[in-house]
Amino acid sequence: METTFPFLMPKRPRRLRASKGIRRLARETRLSVDNLVAPLFIVDGKGIKDPIDAMPGQYRLSIDVLLQEVNEIYDLGIPAIALFPAIEDSLKDPYGTECLNEKGLYPKAIQAVKSACPGLLVITDVALDPYSSDGHDGIVDGGVIDNDTTLAVLAKMAVLHAESGADIIAPSDMMDGRVMAIRERLDEAGHINVAILSYTAKYASAYYGPFREALDSAPKALDGVPTDKKTYQMDPANGEEALRELHIDLEEGADMVMVKPAINYLDVIHRLSMESDVPVAAYHVSGEYSMIKAAVQAGWLDEKAAVLEATTAIRRAGASVIFTYFAKQIASWLKS
Ligand code: PBG
């Protein structure tokens, strides 16, 4: 067959895709176990491994079971876990009082993990929703989320986490001024080396649904009217606003900044990573996990390929820390 074009075509991008070896040399983004954080759900009790319906493969774990899980995670080389507590309804009130209980589930779990596995970083969530009878991240007063009253509680909660052994405090509440409030109280209490990973651009997303089922933490109706988190979490339509949040968090002393969710916000991850002089994290959230799992269960997606593509894309956008419920699976795939 006659070849028509060869001499007119000096550029042939396919050369760099021609073999596995050359593709390895040309690869721009590398996903490593070093990038991963494994989120885990905890409950009070013993011997509990309670499956979360909307998140196949994820469980609410009592502390004894959590410790086995944590050892596996550490052995896989994953540097950090993020703990989220499922609190009994009877312990919830409008002020989230239980979040300051030194003998509560959260402090106990942090202590247990740090003594069983000191080398594994523990990231804790600071927000009131698991503890709030209103299902909100802040204190609700007359239907309004009271920013400044909430700050005092969040800062105390952060100090309790640090005293229990937390390495990184991650405020996910989206109250204004929380990074500053938490930094000040941590320093006063002598926890100068406990870092703050701020949920800087956390969007009011539909993709937190399965997580709220896991913790039974969905916002409650007020006088029969459903409520949502739109007065504190960001509007999915906004990108510029994420940069305003970034600059405020950096001024207030955030050590790392986060974008959440991940896949629908790759542009925001990219903008933050171009602008930020601290590491950028991204949270591949519950709904993103559940969508892939559902498609895999239906036989519509190849799990390994789909998950590695999604997480590599998050990395390519500029995140160096990725919270993902696939962390263990990814770590074992990267090993083999
Ligand atoms: C709450 C919190 C949420 C998530 C992490 N922390 C849910 C929410 O804001 O309602 C979501 C994580 C996920 O969906 O995986 N402070």
Side-chain angles (χ1 to χ4, degrees):
M1 201 171 48
E2 209 184 324
T3 49
T4 332
F5 295 124
F7 307 109
L8 302 173
M9 212 171 8
K11 305 278 186 183
R12 285 184 176 272
R14 286 186 56 188
R15 284 190 199 112
L16 295 186
R17 300 175 202 138
S19 68
K20 196 165 184 201
I22 204 155
R23 287 196 296 273
R24 284 171 64 202
L25 288 181
R27 176 160 297 159
E28 297 172 33
T29 305
R30 263 163 245 278
L31 179 67
S32 149
V33 67
D34 295 339
N35 303 121
L36 302 175
V37 176
L40 295 169
F41 299 106
I42 50 174
V43 271
D44 223 344
K46 261 212 162 94
I48 299 174
K49 187 173 180 184
D50 183 19
I52 299 160
D53 288 344
M55 300 178 72
Q58 300 297 312
Y59 304 85
R60 296 175 202 85
L61 308 171
S62 56
I63 294 177
D64 52 334
V65 184
L66 170 73
L67 296 183
Q68 301 162 17
E69 183 68 13
V70 150
N71 280 319
E72 277 180 41
I73 286 171
Y74 187 69
D75 289 341
L76 281 166
I78 296 168
I81 59 166
L83 291 177
F84 295 96
I87 302 296
E88 280 169 43
D89 262 348
S90 63
L91 295 174
K92 297 184 185 183
D93 68 24
Y95 303 97
T97 313
E98 174 65 15
C99 81
L100 302 180
N101 179 2
E102 290 164 32
K103 299 199 173 75
L105 169 65
Y106 215 159
K108 277 192 303 195
I110 302 165
Q111 285 160 20
V113 172
K114 288 310 291 186
S115 56
C117 201
L120 184 70
L121 294 171
V122 173
I123 304 177
T124 63
D125 188 66
V126 167
L128 296 188
D129 53 321
Y131 297 96
S132 153
S133 47
D134 296 310
H136 278 285
D137 294 25
I139 296 166
V140 186
D141 188 4
V144 173
I145 316 295
D146 185 339
N147 194 89
D148 298 13
T149 324
T150 302
L151 291 184
V153 184
L154 297 175
K156 277 190 196 156
M157 186 178 181
V159 171
L160 175 58
H161 291 177
E163 267 156 18
S164 310
D167 299 283
I168 302 176
I169 306 293
S172 69
D173 55 284
M174 288 301 276
M175 296 301 115
D176 292 335
R178 77 274 173 72
V179 172
M180 193 187 297
I182 291 170
R183 186 71 270 161
E184 205 169 280
R185 287 289 178 270
L186 285 175
D187 286 354
E188 263 172 26
H191 300 294
I192 53 171
N193 286 324
V194 170
I196 298 177
L197 191 175
S198 176
Y199 284 62
T200 296
K202 178 173 177 181
Y203 287 88
S205 170
Y207 291 81
Y208 308 148
F211 175 99
R212 293 178 187 170
E213 180 196 310
L215 298 189
D216 187 21
S217 64
K220 301 284 184 301
L222 186 72
D223 302 328
V225 184
T227 67
D228 58 45
K229 299 192 176 186
K230 291 180 185 168
T231 69
Y232 46 106
Q233 298 181 347
M234 282 177 52
D235 182 343
N238 295 354
E240 213 57 47
E241 189 181 349
L243 294 177
R244 293 204 290 278
E245 287 282 3
L246 170 71
H247 292 300
I248 294 170
D249 278 357
L250 293 176
E251 273 167 36
E252 291 187 16
D255 300 285
M256 297 193 221
V257 293
M258 189 197 275
V259 176
K260 173 185 179 185
I263 293 294
N264 289 346
Y265 300 89
L266 292 177
D267 58 325
V268 180
I269 296 173
H270 186 64
R271 285 165 87 156
L272 254 67
S273 76
M274 299 301 281
E275 191 90 1
S276 165
D277 56 4
V278 302
V280 174
Y283 202 138
H284 191 228
V285 301
S286 57
E288 301 180 270
Y289 174 86
S290 302
M291 280 197 301
I292 294 178
K293 281 286 183 187
V296 169
Q297 283 183 348
W300 297 333
L301 283 178
D302 175 273
E303 184 168 28
K304 179 177 172 183
V307 171
L308 291 178
E309 182 175 330
T311 36
T312 301
I314 296 168
R315 209 35 219 106
R316 190 194 64 236
S320 55
V321 178
I322 304 175
F323 284 51
T324 171
Y325 302 96
F326 290 110
K328 274 176 73 181
Q329 286 173 276
I330 295 171
S332 37
W333 291 326
L334 293 178
K335 265 189 182 173
S336 57

